[in-house]
Amino acid sequence: MKTLFDFTVKDRKGKDFQVFSAVSVDKDGEQAEFTWVRFLNFHPTPEADDCLKPGAYVEVKGDLQLSVWKESLSIDCRVKDVKPWVLKKK
């Protein structure tokens, strides 16, 4: 997924957590489909900070949450692990 933006906010108890969004693009010839996901990282680490730059590719593991409101799908993820994604060429 390609990171688009990120920022750190504080919860009610003053503890930092990260919020960031990323997009996944699937292309088939001229057709492209985009999937937007919003991520919540309640346990940010320095490694996560390093790889969360706009335009960076990341691999994220966590619990997926889906919701629908007024026929609009929202995809969220509670992050368990985030690291840079590296394309492995064969």
Side-chain angles (χ1 to χ4, degrees), residues 20 39-43 45 47-48 51-52 58-63 77-84:
F20 61 99
F39 295 92
L40 302 168
N41 186 1
F42 293 104
H43 306 287
T45 63
E47 294 82 19
C51 66
L52 291 177
V58 293
E59 179 181 338
V60 181
K61 295 180 183 176
D63 297 323
C77 178
R78 289 184 176 240
V79 175
K80 290 185 179 178
D81 184 41
V82 60
K83 60 185 175 183

Side-chain angles (χ1 to χ4, degrees), residues 17-37:
F17 69 96
Q18 293 172 316
V19 178
F20 61 99
S21 292
V23 63
S24 178
V25 181
D26 293 316
K27 292 182 182 178
D28 184 15
E30 294 293 317
Q31 300 291 324
E33 292 186 28
F34 301 89
T35 304
W36 289 88
V37 181

Side-chain angles (χ1 to χ4, degrees), residues 9-17:
V9 293
K10 293 191 180 294
D11 65 11
R12 290 183 232 171
K13 296 181 181 180
K15 186 175 178 184
D16 288 344
F17 69 96

Side-chain angles (χ1 to χ4, degrees), residues 35-39 64-67 73-77:
T35 304
W36 289 88
V37 181
R38 184 177 71 132
F39 295 92
L64 195 63
Q65 298 177 330
L66 303 173
S67 61
L73 178 64
S74 177
I75 304 172
D76 298 320
C77 178

